[in-house]
Amino acid sequence: MQFFTCQAAQNGPIRLREAIRTPKTSAFLRAFRTKSASASTASLEHGVNLGPSSPLSSLSKTFTNVKEDKSKKSFFPETSDKIVAYWLMGSAASVFGLVVFGGLTRLTESGLSITEWRPVTGSLPPTSAADWDSEFAKYRSSPEFKLLNPHMTLSEFKSIYYMEWGHRQWGRVVGLSFILPTIYFIARKRVSARMAFRTLGITSLIGLQGVLGWWMVKSGLKDDLFAPGSHPRVSQYRLTAHLGTAFLCYTTMLWNGLSILREHKLLADPVAAEKTLSVLRSPKLKFFRRSVAGLAVLVFCTAMSGGLVAGVDAGLIYNEFPYMGLGLTPPKSELFSDFYSHTADKSDIWWRNMLENPSLVQLDHRILATMTFTSVMGLWVYTKMSPTLKRMLPTACRRGMHGVVSFVWLQAALGITTLLYLVPLPLASAHQAGSLALLTSVLILGGRTWVPGRLSRLIARRVPKTTGSATRIIPVTQR
């Protein structure tokens, strides 16, 4: 057997095992260990901890670099520019004026003077006598001329025509002054991704508003859309929808503009902003935050009930306050009259009277207005009497609450005087403007009270991390 045995091979494994058991004497391992220690020392000198050199670590670094490159190459910035906020608030002011001018157009009974809807070609008024005769002939065929204005002259027609034309032209200006800057700001990366989607949504809302405006006017141009022999008027449902969309346009423009300005203000000092938001997020202020949101909804609903009042001319009856006739409310037989029911079983008597009966429509508006007034004053008293709110509520929120109280008193006074004096044009227009002003004050208060989650995350990322201890890296020494 020894004849076939190789002595070198027999002794080789022993020498290999000895080399493995004694790594300090291995030239290869000493060289590898020296290079690793040198690399670690170099990384520590440059302030970088490279970690173990392995395929998995390299792959992890690759994915991290890809994520960083994606974040750097994001199309939209993290926050929108201040110029976008000023533009949004300027657009909101334009919509505010357009709503008030639209109320004047209705109060002067000018809304039905233009009997066609031409979004592009209708931007220019008649320029010749033949054009004026053509427009006047179209108006003479409308129910409003036949029943209310059969003796109207061409010069009188021009005055109401220019009112409606000015209202429509203002709407075109609002649309163009919003659509074109929206495209510019998105293309120039001046808005965040969230704000880009919001501005596009507002653009769609403006387009819907124009369609609803013509849909409303159309309801007053045909006899089959209102009761035979009644006063020619537009549908109160369509009028309220048109008014509600205008309020939504105004609200979204104003709110987003205020949000951008608040975002820039708080991000300028993240540490102070985090302290302020931590106070506003306190569960002890939860009731106050929700109450402000409830006030916003209540003010909006009251304004929409005012649209129904205007639609059925409910302000021209019961011109007294707080009574309505012999009591605080009219008789039940008058409030829920069978006259307004359209079904044989009278199943629609409740909701149709609430939306079509002038007596009940005015009573509903009185109830909602009273609820709004008492809710605002109750919340104001709560901020004065609650020890928690007196201690924790920020000064900006207190001032915002005082603004809401001022506007609700003004709006209540305007509403009562408008009713007592049989809806005169200046008071009625001021009352409509007051509803938007009151909603504005509530939104400003909400902007100072509510805590958006996205803003909280932005501030949290920018607050320096002061807690925790630094990790100490001990360099590997050669042994």
Side-chain angles (χ1 to χ4, degrees):
M1 295 295 294
Q2 295 180 354
F3 177 79
F4 297 98
T5 302
C6 179
Q7 298 297 328
Q10 189 175 8
N11 298 328
I14 299 175
R15 296 175 181 174
L16 180 61
R17 287 195 297 269
E18 291 176 355
I20 295 175
R21 292 194 190 102
T22 58
K24 295 182 181 180
T25 61
S26 173
F28 173 76
L29 291 179
R30 283 199 304 270
F32 180 79
R33 189 178 185 85
T34 303
K35 291 181 180 180
S36 300
S38 301
S40 301
T41 306
S43 64
L44 289 172
E45 290 176 354
H46 290 83
V48 180
N49 186 14
L50 296 178
S53 298
S54 66
L56 290 178
S57 64
S58 301
L59 185 61
S60 175
K61 292 178 182 179
T62 302
F63 284 130
T64 303
N65 294 334
V66 170
K67 291 181 180 179
E68 291 178 355
D69 292 340
K70 286 184 177 180
S71 62
K72 291 179 181 178
K73 295 179 180 178
S74 178
F75 183 83
F76 296 103
E78 193 175 40
T79 58
S80 302
D81 287 354
K82 279 188 176 182
I83 187 65
V84 179
Y86 299 138
W87 161 66
L88 285 170
M89 297 182 70
S91 300
S94 183
V95 173
F96 189 105
L98 182 58
V99 171
V100 176
F101 191 78
L104 290 173
T105 303
R106 171 168 175 76
L107 290 170
T108 56
E109 297 183 348
S110 306
L112 301 178
S113 57
I114 301 180
T115 59
E116 294 177 337
W117 189 48
R118 296 173 295 174
V120 179
T121 59
S123 58
L124 296 176
T127 56
S128 63
D131 293 339
W132 278 113
D133 291 337
S134 175
E135 293 295 328
F136 192 30
K138 296 173 185 177
Y139 177 68
R140 287 198 299 266
S141 63
S142 66
E144 184 179 72
F145 178 85
K146 296 176 181 179
L147 297 176
L148 295 180
N149 303 318
H151 305 292
M152 177 175 284
T153 63
L154 179 59
S155 61
E156 293 172 339
F157 169 72
K158 288 182 179 181
S159 63
I160 65 172
Y161 183 94
Y162 276 122
M163 283 288 295
E164 174 63 13
W165 178 83
H167 180 60
R168 296 189 183 190
Q169 195 71 4
W170 197 337
R172 292 185 179 96
V173 171
V174 168
L176 289 176
S177 63
F178 196 89
I179 295 172
L180 297 180
T182 295
I183 298 174
Y184 172 80
F185 287 135
I186 293 177
R188 300 294 296 177
K189 305 178 184 180
R190 306 293 292 274
V191 294
S192 63
R194 183 187 297 265
M195 193 57 60
F197 283 110
R198 289 183 180 181
T199 52
L200 291 175
I202 297 174
T203 302
S204 303
L205 199 60
I206 293 174
L208 176 63
Q209 173 71 351
V211 175
L212 288 177
W214 169 246
W215 185 56
M216 176 193 67
V217 171
K218 187 178 179 181
S219 65
L221 299 176
K222 295 183 179 180
D223 294 329
D224 57 349
L225 293 180
F226 50 88
S230 64
H231 189 291
R233 63 166 68 97
V234 298
S235 168
Q236 71 271 23
Y237 301 109
R238 302 185 185 186
L239 173 65
T240 305
H242 185 54
L243 179 66
T245 310
F247 268 61
L248 287 177
C249 286
Y250 172 79
T251 300
T252 51
M253 291 174 181
L254 177 68
W255 176 253
N256 286 290
L258 293 174
S259 299
I260 294 175
L261 293 179
R262 186 191 188 195
E263 191 173 89
H264 279 273
K265 181 180 179 181
L266 293 179
L267 290 177
D269 189 356
V271 177
E274 181 62 29
K275 294 180 181 179
T276 302
L277 295 184
S278 63
V279 173
L280 293 176
R281 282 193 295 261
S282 173
K284 297 179 180 180
L285 298 182
K286 185 176 182 180
F287 177 77
F288 182 79
R289 295 194 302 267
R290 291 186 174 182
S291 299
V292 175
L295 281 182
V297 175
L298 188 56
V299 171
F300 180 83
C301 292
T302 306
M304 294 305 100
S305 71
L308 290 175
V309 170
V312 299
D313 291 330
L316 300 177
I317 61 175
Y318 292 113
N319 301 104
E320 52 190 343
F321 189 85
Y323 295 101
M324 297 181 69
L326 299 178
L328 293 176
T329 63
K332 184 178 179 180
S333 59
E334 180 182 345
L335 294 177
F336 300 97
S337 174
D338 296 341
F339 175 78
Y340 298 96
S341 177
H342 293 183
T343 59
D345 58 353
K346 309 298 181 183
S347 59
D348 60 345
I349 190 172
W350 288 90
W351 69 267
R352 283 198 178 273
N353 274 277
M354 292 181 65
L355 301 176
E356 299 177 4
N357 185 348
S359 299
L360 188 53
V361 167
Q362 187 190 125
L363 178 61
D364 292 340
H365 186 61
R366 290 190 181 205
I367 293 174
L368 285 172
T370 304
M371 287 177 58
T372 302
F373 181 84
T374 54
S375 298
V376 170
M377 297 308 300
L379 186 60
W380 177 73
V381 172
Y382 175 63
T383 60
K384 295 294 183 181
M385 302 298 293
S386 172
T388 302
L389 264 66
K390 290 174 65 176
R391 184 181 68 257
M392 297 183 60
L393 196 64
T395 304
C397 297
R398 297 180 185 277
R399 293 175 179 174
M401 190 71 234
H402 293 160
V404 175
V405 170
S406 301
F407 277 108
V408 79
W409 273 97
L410 176 62
Q411 180 66 351
L414 287 172
I416 294 173
T417 53
T418 301
L419 182 67
L420 295 178
Y421 288 96
L422 297 175
V423 197
L425 185 63
L427 286 176
S429 180
H431 185 51
Q432 185 178 27
S435 63
L436 266 180
L438 177 58
L439 181 61
T440 302
S441 64
V442 176
L443 290 176
I444 292 175
L445 174 60
R448 299 175 179 180
T449 304
W450 303 324
V451 183
R454 178 179 177 274
L455 180 58
S456 299
R457 291 189 294 270
L458 287 176
I459 294 175
R461 287 202 297 265
R462 299 193 182 190
V463 172
K465 304 298 182 180
T466 57
T467 59
S469 58
T471 303
R472 184 183 179 187
I473 303 176
I474 303 176
V476 180
T477 58
Q478 298 183 9
R479 288 183 290 177

